[in-house]
Amino acid sequence: MKPVHAKPFAPQLVSQLRNYGKLMRLDKPIGIWLLLWPTLWALWLAGNGTVSPTRVCSSFLFLVLSLCVPPAAF
C-alpha cells in the first residue's frame, strides 16, 4: 500500500492568515493581557463577584477589543 500525500488545504489562505496573525501580534500577546486582565478584574469587582449574561457579553466584547486595539496602537 502506497502512502497517501494530501495536498495542503488552501495554502494561500493559510499564508494570509499567518501573516494577519503576525500583524495582530498574536505571537506576542503581552498587549492583549495588559488590556484584558484589568478590564476583567474591574468587571468582576463591579459585579460583586456574580456572573450575569450582561457581564458575560461585556467580557466577550472587551476580549474582542483587546485583540483589536494593540495592533492599532503601533
Side-chain angles (χ1 to χ4, degrees), residues 12 25 34 36 45 47 54 73:
Q12 290 178 337
R25 297 177 59 96
L34 288 174
L36 183 63
L45 288 175
T54 305

Side-chain angles (χ1 to χ4, degrees), residues 4-72:
V4 177
H5 296 287
K7 292 182 181 179
F9 175 74
Q12 290 178 337
L13 178 65
V14 172
S15 175
Q16 288 175 352
L17 287 175
R18 185 177 298 123
N19 290 337
Y20 189 66
K22 287 182 181 179
L23 180 64
M24 288 179 61
R25 297 177 59 96
L26 292 176
D27 56 336
K28 300 173 186 171
I30 188 65
I32 296 167
W33 293 121
L34 288 174
L35 284 172
L36 183 63
W37 282 115
T39 304
L40 292 179
W41 187 30
L43 285 172
W44 180 68
L45 288 175
N48 294 326
T50 61
V51 179
S52 70
T54 305
R55 285 189 179 76
V56 171
C57 291
S58 298
S59 299
F60 180 74
L61 176 67
F62 286 122
L63 173 66
V64 170
L65 289 175
S66 68
L67 288 172
C68 296
V69 170

